[in-house]
PDB file of all heavy atoms in Angstrom:
ATOM      1  N   LYS A  92      -8.947  65.905   4.398  1.00  0.00           N
ATOM      2  CA  LYS A  92      -8.684  67.293   4.774  1.00  0.00           C
ATOM      3  C   LYS A  92      -7.215  67.559   5.071  1.00  0.00           C
ATOM      4  O   LYS A  92      -6.705  68.624   4.773  1.00  0.00           O
ATOM      5  CB  LYS A  92      -9.519  67.669   5.997  1.00  0.00           C
ATOM      6  CG  LYS A  92     -10.983  67.746   5.719  1.00  0.00           C
ATOM      7  CD  LYS A  92     -11.728  68.149   6.965  1.00  0.00           C
ATOM      8  CE  LYS A  92     -13.215  68.204   6.685  1.00  0.00           C
ATOM      9  NZ  LYS A  92     -13.987  68.562   7.863  1.00  0.00           N
ATOM     10  N   ASN A  93      -6.535  66.600   5.651  1.00  0.00           N
ATOM     11  CA  ASN A  93      -5.150  66.831   6.080  1.00  0.00           C
ATOM     12  C   ASN A  93      -4.116  66.643   4.982  1.00  0.00           C
ATOM     13  O   ASN A  93      -2.968  67.029   5.153  1.00  0.00           O
ATOM     14  CB  ASN A  93      -4.806  65.898   7.252  1.00  0.00           C
ATOM     15  CG  ASN A  93      -5.678  66.186   8.444  1.00  0.00           C
ATOM     16  OD1 ASN A  93      -6.167  67.292   8.617  1.00  0.00           O
ATOM     17  ND2 ASN A  93      -5.898  65.174   9.270  1.00  0.00           N
ATOM     18  N   TRP A 132      -7.769  57.549 -46.271  1.00  0.00           N
ATOM     19  CA  TRP A 132      -6.921  58.732 -46.245  1.00  0.00           C
ATOM     20  C   TRP A 132      -6.985  59.404 -44.874  1.00  0.00           C
ATOM     21  O   TRP A 132      -5.958  59.758 -44.303  1.00  0.00           O
ATOM     22  CB  TRP A 132      -7.358  59.715 -47.335  1.00  0.00           C
ATOM     23  CG  TRP A 132      -6.543  60.956 -47.349  1.00  0.00           C
ATOM     24  CD1 TRP A 132      -5.347  61.145 -47.964  1.00  0.00           C
ATOM     25  CD2 TRP A 132      -6.850  62.183 -46.695  1.00  0.00           C
ATOM     26  NE1 TRP A 132      -4.887  62.412 -47.730  1.00  0.00           N
ATOM     27  CE2 TRP A 132      -5.796  63.078 -46.955  1.00  0.00           C
ATOM     28  CE3 TRP A 132      -7.918  62.628 -45.912  1.00  0.00           C
ATOM     29  CZ2 TRP A 132      -5.777  64.384 -46.458  1.00  0.00           C
ATOM     30  CZ3 TRP A 132      -7.887  63.915 -45.429  1.00  0.00           C
ATOM     31  CH2 TRP A 132      -6.839  64.779 -45.703  1.00  0.00           C
ATOM     32  N   PRO A 153      13.770  63.683 -21.504  1.00  0.00           N
ATOM     33  CA  PRO A 153      15.080  63.439 -20.890  1.00  0.00           C
ATOM     34  C   PRO A 153      15.465  61.971 -20.823  1.00  0.00           C
ATOM     35  O   PRO A 153      16.650  61.635 -20.870  1.00  0.00           O
ATOM     36  CB  PRO A 153      14.951  64.019 -19.481  1.00  0.00           C
ATOM     37  CG  PRO A 153      13.692  64.775 -19.439  1.00  0.00           C
ATOM     38  CD  PRO A 153      12.860  64.380 -20.615  1.00  0.00           C
ATOM     39  N   ARG A 185     -14.728  46.857 -46.922  1.00  0.00           N
ATOM     40  CA  ARG A 185     -15.931  46.904 -47.744  1.00  0.00           C
ATOM     41  C   ARG A 185     -16.685  48.223 -47.625  1.00  0.00           C
ATOM     42  O   ARG A 185     -17.780  48.358 -48.124  1.00  0.00           O
ATOM     43  CB  ARG A 185     -16.855  45.754 -47.375  1.00  0.00           C
ATOM     44  CG  ARG A 185     -16.297  44.415 -47.731  1.00  0.00           C
ATOM     45  CD  ARG A 185     -17.447  43.468 -47.912  1.00  0.00           C
ATOM     46  NE  ARG A 185     -17.064  42.294 -48.647  1.00  0.00           N
ATOM     47  CZ  ARG A 185     -17.287  42.133 -49.937  1.00  0.00           C
ATOM     48  NH1 ARG A 185     -17.850  43.069 -50.641  1.00  0.00           N
ATOM     49  NH2 ARG A 185     -16.954  41.025 -50.522  1.00  0.00           N
TER      50      ARG A 185
END
Side-chain angles (χ1 to χ4, degrees):
K92 291 181 181 179
N93 297 334
W132 179 84
R185 293 205 162 261

